Amino acid sequence: MPRANCSKTYKVPKRPFESARLDQELKLAGEYGLRNKREIWRVGYSLSHIRRAARELLTLDEKDPRRLFEGNALIRRLIRIGVLDESKARLDYVLGLKIEDFLERRLQTQVFKSGLARSIHHARVLIRQRHIRVGKQVVNIPSFMVRLDSQKHIDFSHTSPLGGGRPGRVKRKRAKAAEGGDAEDEE
């Protein structure tokens, strides 16, 4: 039997009732349509790992093979996600990354920004109800990190009523009722 994944995905704040942090988290949750604070903490946790790796590499000598290899790999990964700009491809800029940079790259935010949804909350609902695809793959995870190259391939799913698929349940029911109503008028 395979072992369950027991690694941590988020870290709770040390001071639970710090008002400045609470206000900032509430603002982020509203702006990006997040379900709970844990989604913010999860992004912060992954950001802290990235920044820790960058800090450790910056302590090494500039010609160190480990710094060159791992530093380039880290920067290339961040550029591919779209968090880091290609003009800022240095380890110093990795330390300047913020939680908002990662929240901008979520599928939920990208669907709203591309105009497929009326609001950030509507975008989340569309994704969870499997109306959105990235490339040919239907994605139903709002926190899916969209890469730069797949950003232009975000669209409605082929099976979705919004993307030209079969009409939804209510529309089919109304069409059937209208069809039955016409038959009675003819008699």
Side-chain angles (χ1 to χ4, degrees):
M1 189 169 133
R3 278 189 66 204
N5 183 11
C6 297
S7 59
K8 287 185 180 181
T9 56
Y10 68 97
K11 189 174 179 223
V12 297
K14 281 183 180 167
R15 298 182 177 193
F17 302 112
E18 197 174 27
S19 73
R21 183 190 48 77
L22 286 172
D23 293 341
Q24 189 221 9
E25 283 176 351
L26 195 63
K27 185 171 169 266
L28 280 177
E31 186 180 341
Y32 292 100
L34 305 178
R35 184 173 58 136
N36 52 29
K37 302 272 182 85
R38 190 186 312 140
E39 292 191 333
I40 298 171
W41 299 337
R42 186 176 60 213
V43 172
Y45 189 69
S46 62
L47 176 61
S48 72
H49 278 278
I50 291 167
R51 292 185 60 179
R52 184 185 305 145
R55 265 197 318 271
E56 187 182 321
L57 291 172
L58 279 169
T59 60
L60 301 173
D61 186 49
E62 228 171 280
K63 299 287 183 223
D64 191 305
R66 181 173 167 230
R67 176 174 169 168
L68 292 172
F69 182 75
E70 290 182 18
N72 286 341
L74 178 67
I75 289 168
R76 192 171 57 247
R77 194 169 74 229
L78 293 173
I79 288 173
R80 192 171 62 197
I81 294 171
V83 175
L84 201 62
D85 193 24
E86 284 191 35
S87 63
K88 298 180 176 180
R90 292 186 53 219
L91 281 174
D92 302 333
Y93 292 109
V94 174
L95 297 178
L97 291 175
K98 298 188 296 293
I99 289 178
E100 290 90 336
D101 299 327
F102 283 87
L103 293 176
E104 277 299 321
R105 300 305 309 165
R106 288 166 50 100
L107 180 61
Q108 181 179 357
T109 312
Q110 293 301 319
V111 166
F112 173 59
K113 295 267 170 93
S114 65
L116 296 175
R118 283 181 238 123
S119 71
I120 196 86
H121 305 291
H122 185 227
R124 188 178 188 96
V125 171
L126 288 177
I127 294 165
R128 284 303 298 161
Q129 293 177 354
R130 301 175 58 83
H131 290 293
I132 302 294
R133 67 184 164 96
V134 179
K136 294 180 181 174
Q137 184 70 45
V138 173
V139 181
N140 69 337
I141 310 294
S143 63
F144 176 82
M145 293 302 262
V146 180
R147 291 181 179 174
L148 275 181
D149 53 343
S150 57
Q151 183 174 348
K152 54 187 168 284
H153 301 294
I154 298 172
D155 198 14
F156 288 116
S157 156
H158 293 303
T159 57
S160 164
L162 302 169
R166 177 179 174 208
R169 179 183 61 83
V170 175
K171 193 169 187 176
R172 289 195 311 266
K173 187 177 176 184
R174 287 185 180 150
K176 188 176 180 184
E179 209 174 87
D182 293 342
E184 290 173 10
D185 293 337
E186 292 171 4
E187 291 175 11

